[in-house]
Amino acid sequence: MLTIEGLTKRYGALVVLDNISLTIERGEIVSVIGPSGGGKTTLLRMIDLLEPADRGEMTLGDLVVDLKRPGKKTTLAVRRRIGFVFQQFNLFSHRTVKENILDALIYGHGYAKPEAEKRAAEVIAMVDLEDKTDAYPITLSGGQAQRAAIARAIAPSPDLLILDEPTSALDPELTGEVIAVIKALATQGMTMLLVTHHIGLARELADRVLVLDAGRFIEEGPVANVLEHPQTDRTRSFLERVRNLWR
Amino acid sequence: MPESGVFFGTLQQVLRGLPYTLLLTFVPLAFAFLPGLWFGWLRAKKSVVGSRLVGAYVTLFRSLPLVLQMLFAYSWLPSLLASFVRARAWDIDVFSISPIYYALIVLFLNTVAALSEVFRAAFSAVSRHEVEAALAVGYKKRQAFFRVWLPQAVTYALPNLASATVNLVRQSSLAYLMTVPEMTARARMAAGLTFDTITAYAALLLSYVVLCFVIDTIYDVVYARVIRKMTGTLRYRGT
């Protein structure tokens, strides 16, 4: 459903992504792990066309995208097929939980008001935030805010859901409620690309794990293989350092 | 102590200048709002050319004393205009144009500079991540600007907008140099008649204090309302 070929991104002399290729099948959950500064977030931003790449081509369903110069129309089409969950939630702070979702549907996806209302109620129930429907983001806990952000991202039924360290900005006791929502989405067959430091989450959910380090995938394969029998020293030492996040 | 009769008589004279003071405040403010907003946005998004040009403009007007600008405009603009009109053989008597227009132009240009700084700060205060999130959920750039960036920026601008407005009230006093009959000019006239300078200036002082207090209060009330609506809680604390 998604393929990327030859994705390269430099910031000045620093090569952040070095000729990356990636394929994700429909219904698959792919997790990207790796040390900070390895290029994980940049990779996700390139896929959602939030930043231009230096080189690279992507196909998303029937869309063929030049990642360097995607063009306005294609950019909009790609973003409307992808749901993006940010580490810092990034809810619209002047809008309530429900308005955040309605706005995304109405202005981002051209829904009519009644359909948007119906869909918003559905996703709010899905993330268990009925009691916070009319709350403003500033009044929410981190876990509630992230669940609201997930609801906003999945409301338009995206083909692919990208999650950028969805639990990293949360207090440890609040990660559980967000993880529960992500797991529920996984059982519904949502295609996901998940960047996380939470190895336990990757192990539980992902069909496939990729290790991104210094702009290259240094390891790739089924979860059990990569996590239990890493082939490279770099992966081994990375997994060792984040061992406390395995559970 | 001055007699209260003299004081109130003088105050009445001063208040006859109030319409001019209000005119000199709110007309430049109204006209400067959109240019200031636009300039502030160019500065906040760091557009290369726009930001530099606006920056130079702001620096220029911040570094010129308003008195100097007023005197310059009053003595130079009419003669410039006159030679322009003469060159085209138009039948307009430039020197019969009310000086209030020159004062309005000077205040307008200064207010554009002031507001572009106000809005630059306000636009910068909005989280760029929220604007990006809007793009990620499928907004066009224009929608992200009008639905996420602008509404929050205008809210954040309100307290500084209050300062800018009060500043403008005070700056408008310099229009007396151009013989515009606003409050300061009226006070000087009254002082000239009664020879009671202290009383005249006391009445003027009181007028400015009350006027600025009223303007500040209006902004405070509006800001508190908007913030309460925006956040769902009253997080506002008066200054």
Side-chain angles (χ1 to χ4, degrees):
Chain A
M1 190 207 62
L2 175 98
T3 55
I4 289 173
E5 256 163 58
L7 170 55
T8 300
K9 176 71 178 177
R10 292 185 199 85
Y11 291 121
L14 179 72
V15 182
V16 187
L17 294 173
D18 188 3
N19 203 16
I20 291 270
S21 296
L22 171 68
T23 307
I24 302 176
E25 302 298 335
R26 184 170 295 282
E28 195 180 23
I29 299 178
V30 174
S31 183
V32 176
I33 60 172
S36 287
K40 303 188 297 295
T41 296
T42 306
L43 171 65
L44 300 187
R45 293 173 57 80
M46 306 274 117
I47 295 175
D48 208 25
L49 307 180
L50 293 171
E51 242 179 288
D54 291 322
R55 201 165 63 78
E57 196 180 84
M58 174 169 87
T59 50
L60 177 66
D62 56 346
L63 288 172
V64 180
V65 188
D66 175 0
L67 290 173
K68 187 177 179 187
R69 282 192 202 83
K72 264 190 190 172
K73 257 189 163 171
T74 313
T75 301
L76 218 53
V78 167
R79 288 180 185 155
R80 285 177 177 170
R81 290 187 192 192
I82 295 178
F84 203 113
V85 176
F86 298 88
Q87 187 175 355
Q88 300 287 349
F89 333 131
N90 300 348
L91 292 167
F92 307 137
S93 47
H94 61 311
R95 309 291 277 162
T96 64
V97 168
K98 188 169 95 175
E99 287 168 345
N100 262 275
I101 298 164
L102 289 179
D103 285 2
L105 290 170
I106 293 170
Y107 307 127
H109 291 261
Y111 276 54
K113 188 94 195 288
E115 283 81 69
E117 289 271 0
K118 195 162 150 275
R119 181 63 181 151
E122 275 173 31
V123 289
I124 286 173
M126 216 183 282
V127 299
D128 201 16
L129 275 179
E130 290 98 330
D131 54 332
K132 294 290 177 188
T133 301
D134 297 316
Y136 283 84
I138 199 164
T139 65
L140 301 177
S141 73
Q144 291 166 340
Q146 191 59 297
R147 282 185 283 146
I150 292 174
R152 183 178 69 178
I154 61 170
S157 312
D159 296 342
L160 169 69
L161 185 65
I162 290 179
L163 302 113
D164 185 11
E165 305 200 15
T167 58
S168 296
L170 304 176
D171 291 335
E173 81 262 30
L174 298 179
T175 57
E177 59 190 66
V178 170
I179 287 173
V181 168
I182 298 172
K183 279 183 189 164
L185 290 172
T187 56
Q188 290 167 23
M190 177 76 79
T191 311
M192 286 195 241
L193 178 56
L194 169 69
V195 162
T196 186
H197 283 306
H198 201 289
I199 306 296
L201 183 63
R203 185 164 56 168
E204 191 167 349
L205 288 185
D207 301 304
R208 205 147 49 84
V209 174
L210 297 114
V211 183
L212 187 60
D213 181 40
R216 287 165 177 263
F217 287 127
I218 57 169
E219 202 141 348
E220 168 170 8
V223 184
N225 289 9
V226 174
L227 295 181
E228 311 297 342
H229 309 288
Q231 299 299 305
T232 63
D233 288 341
R234 290 210 61 113
T235 308
R236 250 191 299 277
S237 71
F238 169 70
L239 289 174
E240 205 52 52
R241 271 179 282 138
V242 295
R243 187 157 287 279
N244 62 328
L245 292 172
W246 277 52
R247 266 173 298 278
Chain B
M1 278 300 284
E3 281 177 53
S4 61
V6 176
F7 180 80
F8 285 113
T10 312
L11 187 62
Q12 223 169 14
Q13 288 302 309
V14 169
L15 288 182
R16 284 177 61 198
L18 180 62
Y20 284 96
T21 295
L22 292 177
L23 183 86
L24 289 166
T25 301
F26 289 102
V27 169
L29 190 69
F31 278 91
F33 191 87
L34 284 180
L37 193 73
W38 184 45
F39 283 7
W41 179 62
L42 288 177
R43 292 267 269 170
K45 74 168 194 165
K46 300 192 173 71
S47 92
V48 182
V49 179
S51 191
R52 293 238 173 100
L53 285 177
V54 174
Y57 176 84
V58 170
T59 307
L60 177 69
F61 275 90
R62 272 211 299 215
S63 53
L64 292 177
L66 193 64
V67 183
L68 179 62
Q69 293 180 44
M70 287 281 185
L71 292 172
F72 208 63
Y74 190 43
S75 51
W76 177 66
L77 266 185
S79 36
L80 181 80
L81 210 56
S83 63
F84 187 78
V85 165
R86 219 177 303 118
R88 274 157 193 74
W90 288 344
D91 190 21
I92 303 170
D93 180 8
V94 169
F95 297 100
S96 70
I97 293 175
S98 165
I100 196 166
Y101 291 109
Y102 301 124
L104 285 173
I105 289 170
V106 170
L107 290 172
F108 164 75
L109 293 174
N110 278 276
T111 308
V112 169
L115 292 193
S116 66
E117 284 300 277
V118 167
F119 284 115
R120 171 169 77 144
F123 277 118
S124 307
V126 179
S127 159
R128 296 302 293 267
H129 298 297
E130 285 183 36
V131 179
E132 193 162 73
L135 297 177
V137 293
Y139 282 43
K140 292 171 184 155
K141 271 190 176 169
R142 201 166 43 82
Q143 289 175 310
F145 176 77
F146 281 107
R147 303 220 171 258
V148 179
W149 210 0
L150 185 63
Q152 294 192 50
V154 170
T155 308
Y156 295 146
L158 280 174
N160 288 331
L161 218 46
S163 306
T165 309
V166 167
N167 260 336
L168 196 47
V169 169
R170 297 185 300 144
Q171 289 176 335
S172 75
S173 65
L174 282 173
Y176 90 85
L177 290 168
M178 296 186 175
T179 69
V180 177
E182 46 69 67
M183 294 202 302
T184 305
R186 294 281 180 184
R188 288 170 63 88
M189 280 184 243
L193 288 174
T194 61
F195 298 107
D196 190 347
T197 323
I198 302 284
T199 305
Y201 288 162
L204 182 61
L205 186 145
L206 182 71
S207 307
Y208 277 119
V209 168
V210 171
L211 177 57
C212 291
F213 176 77
V214 169
I215 290 174
D216 252 341
T217 307
I218 292 171
Y219 271 106
D220 275 1
V221 170
V222 172
Y223 183 60
R225 286 214 174 164
V226 174
I227 283 288
R228 182 166 27 184
K229 193 187 169 311
M230 192 170 129
T231 63
T233 52
L234 190 61
R235 325 197 88 239
Y236 165 81
R237 281 179 194 81
T239 41

